[in-house]
Amino acid sequence: MAFDNLLASLGGFGSYQRRIFAVVCLLEMVIPLHILCQVFYTLPVDHWCRDSTLESCPHHSNMTLLECQESIKNLTIPFDEKTSTYSQCSKYITQESENRSKWTTVGCDEGWHYGPHSPSSIQTDFDLVCERSSLTQVAQSIFFAGIMVSSLFCVLYGDRFGRLRVLFVGIGGTSLMGLILAVTPNYATYVVVRFIVAAFLWMTMSSCYIHLTENISSSYRVFVTCGVGVPFGIGFSILAGLAYFVPNWRTLQIVISLPMLAFFIFWPIFMESPRWLLSRGRWTDAEKILKKIARLNKKKTELSKESLDNLEESLRNETQTSSLRQLFRLPRLRLRTMTLMFNWFVQSFVYYGLSLSTSSFGVNVYVAFCIAGAVEVPAAMLSFVLVKYAGRRHALILTMVPAGIACISTGFLPLGPIMTTAAMIGKFAISSSFATVYLYTVELYSTNLRSAGLGSGSLGSRIGGICAPLVLLLDGLWQPLPQIVFGATSVIAGLLVVLLPETKGQPMPQTTEEAEALGRHNHSSTKRASRRRGTLKNFNSDVTFEKLVSFSI
């Protein structure tokens, strides 16, 4: 903890840290544009089977193109009287009698026509309709798989090459591959490029967050952890406005990719993480940067050789090698790790399940999506309040259980404002819990296991993101089923939090033994403290200092 003490003496959240925080907040506004843009690339489109034998309209030369299409549709496409809609995935091939019910139908073997008012989307460009419609959700799952693969290697990249270099490689890669994505000619190329975009995007996300937290003293980390959720929600809402005014998906992809390049102007503001430099033995470079930070924060702190030696010893203890295997070696840590992995899985599973399904709530998709992003701002504020006053465990229970109940109710409510309101309550609650689980995980593991603990949670989260789009396909079996699955898992995960110890007001464990014992003695310690307070109350008013000392010993 020597480095945290040094950061505090240099200004734990001074001018330099505030600059970094401001840039990270701007990045957090751009990141959701790339994660969630596919919601607007796959909006519902009006489509019907193509029939090349009638496309030229030889007998209706006086008709407009739209009138001609309607005429062909009447002749070739089955019409459902009950729903007053044309079939989107079948057409007639024989017309041997006047009774249409006896006409033979086949699938769309010649492709599809799309309505004149259908939005530009990957569905219309790559024919992702009818039996190919599920490929849209598969593409989103592949995107999250890219994040998962990147998360497995990003720690190695960051530890080897430094936080700053990886951060700007991620920014440049996200922008460049995002621009390439806008000109992809087919579905296979689209999913491959978007997978790479996800990998670079996670490099950006993780590196900027690590760089920020490593340069801020521990007393401000709760504020930072909860605070970055605010710009993320703002960016979420901004995407709805951009998609409304830029309906062409390829143009929109260019619009959201170009801002990333602008972040290179902030390169001079950033300095490499001194914690990373010290961990690599680069003492001279670290000392220079620490002195610059002190100067920017207007703090006068002398850095002696002895203080740097103490930092070296402290960081050597903090960066002991760890692996996922160690998390399962001891019984309490094993239970804790499995509970947290499931919790991280559900956080991402429900969050993206609700975020990606806004087009199915029966209201204007742009309005619903904008509201879904806006609720994250008060959700981040609620997380800060709950963590600070109710504790980490209660904060998760009080948000995940209501989120699950709201999701389940959504499945049985009529389409429209009522369903949207219930879904937004669930989105609000799960967003608040998502902001809490990172801090809680950090506090539940010892220094040497903290990276592995976060890695296991992140792995669970990535799997949840991959599964969420696929679960949305279950509405083909039963319309409420996806929301029931999201809700049930959220309630279960929230209730399982009772298996975890509370960390509010507790020192962070330094060793594996302390982490294993965390929560084990809380009850007995509380009873001892209670007995001690009761004994003190029975002392005479003229109790002496010596008596207090002897009692405490």
Side-chain angles (χ1 to χ4, degrees), residues 31 95 141 218 242 269 328 331 361 378 394 426:
I31 285 170
Q95 303 172 3
S141 291
S218 57
L242 290 175
I269 293 177
F328 295 91
F361 294 153
H394 290 142

Side-chain angles (χ1 to χ4, degrees), residues 320 326 329-330 332-333 336 444-449 508-521:
Q320 293 175 12
Q326 291 178 275
R329 184 168 57 87
L330 299 174
R332 293 172 67 84
L333 280 176
R336 187 177 306 165
L444 283 170
Y445 288 103
S446 58
T447 301
N448 64 309
L449 294 179
M508 294 177 70
Q510 300 297 309
T511 66
T512 304
E513 290 73 19
E514 290 179 8
E516 174 71 6
L518 187 63
R520 179 187 297 168
H521 304 301

Side-chain angles (χ1 to χ4, degrees), residues 405-479:
I405 295 173
C407 284
I408 294 173
S409 65
T410 300
F412 298 97
L413 294 173
L415 293 174
I418 297 177
M419 174 186 282
T420 304
T421 300
M424 291 306 103
I425 292 173
K427 179 66 163 48
F428 171 82
I430 201 65
S431 298
S432 182
S433 67
F434 216 155
T436 303
V437 70
Y438 185 95
L439 175 67
Y440 196 23
T441 303
V442 167
E443 295 178 339
L444 283 170
Y445 288 103
S446 58
T447 301
N448 64 309
L449 294 179
R450 199 159 290 133
S451 294
L454 283 173
S456 66
S458 179
L459 178 61
S461 179
R462 302 289 80 78
I463 296 172
I466 293 171
C467 293
L470 302 179
V471 169
L472 292 174
L473 298 174
L474 296 177
D475 63 355
L477 300 176
W478 184 34
Q479 190 69 31

Side-chain angles (χ1 to χ4, degrees), residues 112-367:
W112 292 266
H113 284 295
Y114 297 99
H117 302 295
S118 295
S120 168
S121 65
I122 62 172
Q123 292 156 289
T124 57
D125 283 11
F126 306 144
D127 286 337
L128 304 182
V129 292
C130 296
E131 68 274 5
R132 288 168 54 86
S133 61
S134 62
L135 293 179
T136 58
Q137 300 298 353
V138 171
Q140 190 64 33
S141 291
I142 292 174
F143 175 84
F144 286 118
I147 292 180
M148 183 180 72
V149 171
S150 180
S151 68
L152 295 176
F153 295 99
C154 200
V155 174
L156 298 177
Y157 297 150
D159 288 343
R160 181 175 180 180
F161 300 109
R163 316 308 190 203
L164 198 58
R165 189 177 300 176
V166 172
L167 170 61
F168 282 96
V169 168
I171 290 173
T174 301
S175 182
L176 176 62
M177 298 308 297
L179 293 172
I180 294 174
L181 185 67
V183 295
T184 48
N186 52 57
Y187 175 78
T189 308
Y190 174 86
V191 296
V192 170
V193 175
R194 191 153 158 77
F195 178 93
I196 300 172
V197 169
F200 280 116
L201 188 67
W202 177 251
M203 289 174 65
T204 305
M205 293 167 63
S206 61
S207 298
C208 74
Y209 191 84
I210 291 173
H211 191 279
L212 178 63
T213 54
E214 286 187 344
N215 282 279
I216 290 178
S217 63
S218 57
S219 58
Y220 290 96
R221 284 176 190 156
V222 173
F223 166 74
V224 168
T225 302
C226 299
V228 292
V230 173
F232 190 94
I234 294 173
F236 196 127
S237 296
I238 288 174
L239 177 58
L242 290 175
Y244 180 80
F245 290 106
V246 187
N248 185 288
W249 80 270
R250 295 183 185 272
T251 306
L252 178 59
Q253 181 62 41
I254 294 173
V255 169
I256 67 175
S257 299
L258 287 175
M260 276 287 190
L261 293 176
F263 283 94
F264 280 95
I265 66 175
F266 297 116
W267 187 302
I269 293 177
F270 282 80
M271 293 182 285
E272 185 55 83
S273 167
R275 184 189 293 265
W276 176 79
L277 290 172
L278 289 170
S279 70
R280 303 293 292 184
R282 295 168 59 179
W283 313 112
T284 303
D285 293 335
E287 183 179 3
K288 289 179 181 178
I289 290 177
L290 288 169
K291 288 180 177 179
K292 287 181 181 179
I293 293 174
R295 186 168 60 253
L296 289 170
N297 292 344
K298 298 181 180 179
K299 297 288 184 178
K300 294 183 179 180
T301 301
E302 294 295 331
L303 296 174
S304 63
K305 180 66 168 62
E306 182 181 357
S307 64
L308 288 176
D309 289 341
N310 291 336
L311 285 176
E312 179 186 3
E313 181 63 25
S314 174
L315 290 174
R316 184 179 293 113
N317 292 333
E318 290 184 20
T319 56
Q320 293 175 12
T321 58
S322 61
S323 65
L324 291 177
R325 182 184 303 176
Q326 291 178 275
L327 300 179
F328 295 91
R329 184 168 57 87
L330 299 174
R332 293 172 67 84
L333 280 176
R334 182 164 54 246
L335 176 62
R336 187 177 306 165
T337 299
M338 290 189 295
T339 303
L340 284 172
M341 285 188 71
F342 181 67
N343 196 283
W344 278 75
F345 167 86
V346 172
Q347 298 280 351
S348 183
F349 182 60
V350 177
Y351 178 88
Y352 288 112
L354 289 172
S355 299
L356 297 172
S357 60
T358 50
S359 61
S360 62
F361 294 153
V363 296
N364 184 285
V365 62
Y366 301 99
V367 173

Side-chain angles (χ1 to χ4, degrees), residues 371-388:
I371 295 173
V375 299
E376 295 202 18
V377 176
M381 298 177 181
L382 174 66
S383 174
F384 179 79
V385 173
L386 289 177
V387 165
K388 186 174 179 64

